[in-house]
Amino acid sequence: MLPGLAYSTSLVGVYVEHFRTSGSHRSIPGSFCTRLWSLDFCWTLNRAGICWSSKTKALFHQRKGCEGPVTSRMAALLQPNTNSLQVPGSDISVSTSPSSSPSPSRNECSIAPLTPSPSPRTEVRLRVARPFSVVVAIDFGTTSSGYAFSFTEDPEAIHMMRRWEGGDPGVANQKSPTCLLLTHDLRFHSFGFAARDSYHDLDPEEARHWLYFDKFKMKIHSTSDLTMVTELESVSGRRVRAIEVFAHALRFFREHALKEVKDQSSSVLEGDEVRWVITVPAVWRQPAKQFMREAAYLAGLVSPDSPEQLLIALEPEAASIYCRKLRLHQVIDLSQRPMMNGLDLDGSRPFDSSFRQAREQLRRARHSRTFLVESGTGELWSEMQTGDKYIVADCGGGTVDLTVHQIEQPQGTLKELYKASGGPYGAVGVDLAFEAMLCKIFGADFIETFKAKRPAAWVDLTIAFEARKRTAAPGRASALNISLPFSFIDFYKRHCGQSVETALRKSNMNIVKWSSQGMLRLTTEAMNELFQPTISNIIKHIEKLMQKEEVRGVRFLFLVGGFAESPMLQRAVQNALGQHCRIIIPQDVGLTILKGAVLFGLDPTVVRVRRCPLTYGVGVLNRFVEGRHPREKLLIKDGREWCTDILDRFVSVDQSVALGEVVRRSYTPARVGQRKIIINIYCSPTDDVLYITDPGVRKCGAITLDLPEPGAAAAGGDGAAAGAGAGAGFERREIRATMQFGDTEIKVMAVDVVTGRQVRASIDFLSN
């Protein structure tokens, strides 16, 4: 039989067709014909086309222009899970085998995944041009956030947001801290510095009833079962739906950004003239990306009816897009001169002096909030040759994201060489290490009690540490002083019956001293201890990535993101990796992602090829083959033997997929009058899976196809379909679904082949 031919257990049968226009797989000989019977129906497959017939009726679908290899299948339009297979829209279900199954070697039962072959027949989905007048990008970070915009008539000018009021002395406030304050009755009060300062000024008792959220973006990354009802816990312990918290923050940026855009625009802008871009970590999965999109809808950035007006940008990818534009004077090359023990070989200059000089220049340049970028690629890329590779390490507050790109000359587009990777190794790890140090000194029970009883004072303490953390440097000889709030000192004495100084002395932590001015003095050893675990994880991850075959021989490593400003991280990366590649830091390192997100919004096609982070597919039934399929997967229906739970791959992990390349499946309703088709999607972090019940495979989402009314389908049908018999055109009509995996989000479209009408199609990753 034809490898991969799948059948349905439904009483009427369901037909799945898989068209491929690129890649290498088995061709179907012209003389080959497979005929198998399912109840009253006969399915015939040959190279010329696909025939479906019954004993009394026949409907022939001729496929024109399919000169290349075609693989066709019948598959169950079911909702497979580990316990049952259900026909959408009906009560029919078939029990299946236990959820566990052996993993025999891969066979030919699965459909070969899409490949990025440069075949001239590759079907590219043309992007519909929209008359956007301005692109507004929001860099929604863990510790700080901001926005920037550019008018499409002047795309080389990127306008940064207005300078924020408030902030810490000695810290450049180009972005706002990502913190949100809600009143006791859950109404929006303030965001950023205003939220932080307002919460600080609240009476301690009153503060316990208000909701203050800080660094809440991390929750989205750490939640494995993210849904629309996932909750966030405020500093005071009260909980609220996460989608509402994110919507409040995005609505704040929307109002500020639109006001500033209108102030600089000579014409009146309509809502649909603005394209929005929101940045997310590259390691975020589809549920988290969809979550941000839903939050944007709730915040009123765009309407759900105009999804193309909002783009989700991957943070390291955005940074890579901007780095293409860099001129030599806009970067700091840590590898420019040989280093020894943090000094130049001549001993004349400390390691971080060049960065301090560049940062001083940046401060002076910030009086102007408009940045000009190259119309083409910058001078830095003139040193790169065809095939050269580079890594972008986005070291942010919550996560570190790594992406590997290759620039394609002369067009300047980008090609991803290895799937995005990273982990929770951001600057927040240093904050958590500081909290662990406080727990060692004062006791974990006391710290938890203090956070609950004096939440505003705890926020003050974390802010004080954040300000001093930014000044930590490898060559620093003096201790860093962390001011303890008076309420902390007083609360500890009343709660524990002894002074803070006594507790510090009893803890035997010699690397932390006490100052009579009410400050903890962190020695150089103490700061190294706080930074070392997080920095070590970052370097290990980069080293592991550089050992991959696809990544070997990288010429540049770009450090971007807020944490990349840290001299502690810079020194460690240069010492560990400086001999393997050049370490480059853009001068405006904290704004690199934001500027790149604007450029991405102006030209979303700049990244031509991406890598799939996971294997995606659906569960189908195949004809059972003795010796190939495990017996526990055997399902006998009406005298026929089927193998259940086979994973029909759409794409495979780390597979290259070009922008516009699509995967197609065609579905036929399982019964007359069916109004909805639901297809469950499964994913796996590996490619060596055969069944949806294999270890590591999980249900991650569902595709929903809303079918039109029978009358609407019949009215638009052609004569050939209608001539097959009364109602036959509707009963067996074909719904062709097209899925795109080459964008930053997975997209699905569908069309009724008989009528040519668009079918409402949606893909949902948040309803599991």
Side-chain angles (χ1 to χ4, degrees):
M1 67 174 289
L2 179 67
L5 197 63
Y7 288 82
S8 167
T9 58
S10 104
L11 295 180
V12 294
V14 178
Y15 151 53
V16 175
E17 179 186 6
H18 174 56
F19 283 102
R20 298 263 324 274
T21 54
S22 63
S24 58
H25 53 281
R26 187 187 303 269
S27 300
I28 304 173
S31 60
F32 182 89
C33 179
T34 298
R35 181 182 299 269
L36 289 169
W37 291 88
S38 174
L39 298 178
D40 291 338
F41 304 104
C42 165
W43 296 83
T44 305
L45 172 70
N46 56 35
R47 188 169 185 172
I50 298 173
C51 300
W52 168 76
S53 63
S54 70
K55 294 179 179 178
T56 58
K57 303 172 185 177
L59 178 63
F60 179 74
H61 298 279
Q62 181 72 37
R63 301 292 175 226
K64 302 291 186 182
C66 297
E67 300 300 331
V70 175
T71 304
S72 300
R73 289 184 162 203
M74 293 170 52
L77 223 189
L78 309 173
Q79 297 185 63
N81 56 47
T82 57
N83 299 317
S84 66
L85 299 176
Q86 297 181 342
V87 180
S90 75
D91 297 325
I92 301 174
S93 64
V94 181
S95 299
T96 62
S97 56
S99 59
S100 59
S101 67
S103 300
S105 60
R106 184 177 303 178
N107 54 50
E108 296 178 278
C109 286
S110 321
I111 294 178
L114 180 71
T115 56
S117 167
S119 165
R121 291 190 294 270
T122 296
E123 185 164 354
V124 177
R125 178 178 61 86
L126 297 178
R127 292 179 177 272
V128 179
R130 284 292 302 271
F132 298 115
S133 299
V134 63
V135 170
V136 181
I138 300 175
D139 181 11
F140 201 112
T142 300
T143 56
S144 59
S145 301
Y147 64 86
F149 59 93
S150 178
F151 295 97
T152 54
E153 62 184 14
D154 187 16
E156 296 173 16
I158 299 177
H159 307 275
M160 306 303 298
M161 59 192 173
R162 292 191 179 103
R163 187 181 179 90
W164 298 95
E165 297 296 329
D168 306 309
V171 178
N173 303 319
Q174 194 67 27
K175 295 198 290 187
S176 172
T178 308
C179 46
L180 175 75
L181 181 61
L182 303 180
T183 63
H184 62 88
D185 55 353
L186 304 182
R187 288 183 295 108
F188 175 82
H189 181 272
S190 50
F191 182 88
F193 291 115
R196 204 179 71 176
D197 296 342
S198 297
Y199 193 60
H200 167 82
D201 294 339
L202 288 173
D203 178 85
E205 281 302 314
E206 187 179 8
R208 294 175 59 186
H209 301 287
W210 286 50
L211 290 83
Y212 180 83
F213 298 92
D214 187 20
K215 301 181 176 67
F216 51 87
K217 181 182 173 184
M218 285 291 290
K219 176 72 173 180
I220 305 305
H221 177 71
S222 60
T223 302
S224 58
D225 55 346
L226 183 65
T227 68
M228 294 288 286
V229 296
T230 297
E231 292 185 334
L232 290 178
E233 184 175 329
S234 67
V235 171
S236 60
R238 291 186 61 185
R239 303 180 69 86
V240 67
R241 286 202 310 159
I243 193 76
E244 296 176 5
V245 174
F246 279 80
H248 278 307
L250 291 174
R251 191 177 298 114
F252 169 85
F253 281 115
R254 174 185 176 275
E255 294 172 357
H256 278 254
L258 289 182
K259 183 178 185 303
E260 193 166 348
V261 167
K262 291 176 181 178
D263 289 345
Q264 297 198 34
S265 175
S266 58
S267 60
V268 178
L269 291 175
E270 301 295 334
D272 60 357
E273 293 184 77
V274 181
R275 164 171 272 171
W276 295 88
V277 182
I278 299 177
T279 65
V280 301
V283 293
W284 274 17
R285 299 307 187 200
Q286 294 300 322
K289 295 176 185 178
Q290 183 184 340
F291 180 90
M292 291 299 291
R293 177 171 286 276
E294 296 292 343
Y297 292 155
L298 186 59
L301 267 68
V302 300
S303 166
D305 296 328
S306 303
E308 72 282 354
Q309 200 177 340
L310 171 66
L311 298 178
I312 299 297
L314 308 182
E315 290 166 356
E317 191 174 278
S320 179
I321 292 171
Y322 176 68
C323 287
R324 294 159 52 246
K325 305 286 187 177
L326 290 173
R327 300 179 67 88
L328 292 177
H329 72 275
Q330 294 175 312
V331 301
I332 304 164
D333 189 347
L334 298 184
S335 308
Q336 195 169 25
R337 301 182 65 181
M339 313 288 291
M340 179 174 292
N341 296 327
L343 301 173
D344 289 338
L345 288 182
D346 59 8
S348 61
R349 186 180 61 172
F351 167 81
D352 60 345
S353 63
S354 63
F355 184 78
R356 285 202 302 268
Q357 293 169 8
R359 189 161 51 185
E360 194 59 38
Q361 293 174 3
L362 180 60
R363 286 198 186 100
R364 290 196 294 267
R366 280 177 176 165
H367 291 294
S368 171
R369 294 182 298 106
T370 300
F371 293 81
L372 299 179
V373 296
E374 293 284 326
S375 57
T377 54
E379 295 171 326
L380 185 61
W381 301 105
S382 63
E383 302 183 30
M384 299 189 74
Q385 302 174 359
T386 302
D388 281 350
K389 311 168 187 177
Y390 66 93
I391 296 175
V392 176
D394 170 26
C395 306
T399 59
V400 168
D401 277 347
L402 305 179
T403 190
V404 186
H405 276 167
Q406 193 174 56
I407 192 166
E408 299 177 312
Q409 301 289 10
Q411 63 271 34
T413 54
L414 299 176
K415 177 181 180 181
E416 190 174 27
L417 300 180
Y418 191 77
K419 64 186 177 77
S421 61
Y425 314 135
V428 170
V430 183
D431 302 339
L432 296 175
F434 175 66
E435 182 177 336
M437 179 180 286
L438 293 178
C439 290
K440 275 186 182 179
I441 298 172
F442 304 108
D445 291 342
F446 168 76
I447 294 298
E448 289 302 315
T449 302
F450 180 74
K451 288 165 67 175
K453 299 291 186 181
R454 297 290 186 269
W458 172 254
V459 171
D460 290 343
L461 177 55
T462 59
I463 292 171
F465 175 72
E466 175 68 25
R468 304 307 295 160
K469 179 182 71 175
R470 292 171 180 263
T471 66
R476 186 185 180 101
S478 58
L480 287 176
N481 296 327
I482 312 295
S483 297
L484 287 180
F486 172 76
S487 59
F488 184 97
I489 299 172
D490 179 66
F491 192 82
Y492 184 80
K493 189 169 185 178
R494 289 192 291 108
H495 188 270
C496 299
Q498 62 181 9
S499 68
V500 167
E501 183 179 5
T502 302
L504 185 59
R505 188 171 59 250
K506 288 182 177 180
S507 69
N508 294 322
M509 291 199 69
N510 298 325
I511 58 176
V512 181
K513 309 294 182 183
W514 174 250
S515 167
S516 58
Q517 282 110 11
M519 293 184 290
L520 292 178
R521 294 176 57 82
L522 273 61
T523 64
T524 302
E525 292 82 1
M527 291 306 296
N528 287 335
E529 187 172 300
L530 296 181
F531 276 85
Q532 192 276 331
T534 298
I535 290 178
S536 178
N537 282 330
I538 294 173
I539 292 176
K540 286 179 181 177
H541 198 86
I542 297 176
E543 289 177 333
K544 183 178 179 181
L545 177 65
M546 294 177 73
Q547 293 172 1
K548 302 291 183 182
E549 184 65 33
E550 303 91 333
V551 187
R552 289 178 185 171
V554 294
R555 287 196 59 193
F556 296 93
L557 170 61
F558 289 90
L559 290 181
V560 301
F563 196 22
E565 294 182 356
S566 168
M568 301 284 284
L569 177 61
Q570 294 174 21
R571 159 78 74 81
V573 172
Q574 172 61 25
N575 288 345
L577 305 171
Q579 294 182 350
H580 304 288
C581 59
R582 291 171 62 182
I583 314 298
I584 306 292
I585 303 177
Q587 285 184 7
D588 52 350
V589 61
L591 303 177
T592 303
I593 294 169
L594 187 51
K595 295 178 184 178
V598 173
L599 296 176
F600 176 69
L602 292 168
D603 181 13
T605 66
V606 63
V607 181
R608 191 185 63 84
V609 178
R610 291 183 174 89
R611 295 279 185 145
C612 291
L614 295 169
T615 295
Y616 289 99
V618 296
V620 298
L621 299 176
N622 273 11
R623 186 68 178 268
F624 187 85
V625 179
E626 192 68 43
R628 174 181 293 177
H629 297 132
R631 295 294 298 177
E632 60 266 28
K633 294 294 181 185
L634 175 62
L635 174 67
I636 300 177
K637 177 67 174 177
D638 298 326
R640 277 108 179 147
E641 294 185 341
W642 308 98
C643 181
T644 65
D645 299 338
I646 290 180
L647 180 69
D648 167 21
R649 286 178 183 78
F650 292 160
V651 289
S652 298
V653 63
D654 202 33
Q655 175 186 324
S656 289
V657 181
L659 189 65
E661 206 165 8
V662 299
V663 174
R664 281 185 165 181
R665 296 292 191 274
S666 291
Y667 301 95
T668 298
R671 60 182 175 82
V672 176
Q674 185 171 328
R675 299 297 310 280
K676 192 182 294 288
I677 295 176
I678 299 176
I679 307 112
N680 288 334
I681 303 175
Y682 294 82
C683 66
S684 168
T686 63
D687 189 33
D688 58 347
V689 292
L690 297 174
Y691 305 98
I692 62 174
T693 54
D694 283 351
V697 180
R698 61 184 178 86
K699 177 179 175 290
C700 62
I703 296 174
T704 300
L705 306 177
D706 292 321
L707 306 182
E709 291 281 357
D718 55 30
F730 169 74
E731 293 174 27
R732 305 305 306 170
R733 74 184 187 276
E734 175 188 346
I735 307 298
R736 178 176 296 174
T738 301
M739 287 154 285
Q740 184 175 0
F741 292 87
D743 249 322
T744 57
E745 299 175 273
I746 298 176
K747 300 176 182 178
V748 61
M749 295 162 288
V751 66
D752 189 321
V753 174
V754 174
T755 66
R757 294 187 178 186
Q758 202 77 16
V759 173
R760 182 185 175 93
S762 61
I763 187 166
D764 184 16
F765 294 97
L766 289 175
S767 298
N768 289 319

